[in-house]
Amino acid sequence: FSPNGDDHNDFFDVVVPEKFRPLITVETFKIYNRWGNLLYDNETPAAGWDGNLYNGDEAPAEVYTYVVKVAGVAEVFKGTVTLIK
């Protein structure tokens, strides 16, 4: 994703078809760097990650790991996302 303020791919978010959004609650949405340091842990997980760190600084362009937990689903979804500038 490319958080550059152009309103295209500015947030990394859980993609759910609109008709299913009322049925799905994201409980956990965390972003880690390559060393396993937690960079983002949103209290309102549906908002998505804007590419900023806890202190408000922009995260550098690189590959990050995400962990997403959805209410009522036993599986935890994990993967990588590339932040580009």
Side-chain angles (χ1 to χ4, degrees), residues 9 14 24 26-27 42 50-52 55 70-71 73 78 80 84:
N9 299 317
V14 177
I24 296 175
V26 177
E27 291 181 341
N42 193 346
D50 63 1
N52 290 323
N55 63 5
V70 176
V73 177
K78 300 177 185 179
T80 58
I84 58 175

Side-chain angles (χ1 to χ4, degrees), residues 19 23 30 66 78 85:
K19 65 181 179 180
L23 306 173
K30 297 181 181 191
Y66 66 85
K78 300 177 185 179
K85 302 269 178 161

Side-chain angles (χ1 to χ4, degrees), residues 5 7 13 15 17-18 21-22 25 35 37 51 57 66 68 73-74 82:
D7 291 329
D13 194 0
V15 177
E18 189 65 34
R21 282 218 175 241
T25 302
W35 297 280
N37 297 322
D57 290 346
Y66 66 85
V68 175
V73 177
T82 303

Side-chain angles (χ1 to χ4, degrees), residues 60-80:
E62 65 179 71
V63 177
Y64 296 91
T65 300
Y66 66 85
V67 177
V68 175
K69 173 79 174 99
V70 176
V73 177
E75 181 180 358
V76 175
F77 301 95
K78 300 177 185 179
T80 58

Side-chain angles (χ1 to χ4, degrees), residues 31-40 53 60 62-65:
I31 305 289
Y32 298 88
N33 67 11
R34 65 176 116 181
W35 297 280
N37 297 322
L38 180 64
L39 301 181
Y40 176 79
L53 306 175
E62 65 179 71
V63 177
Y64 296 91
T65 300

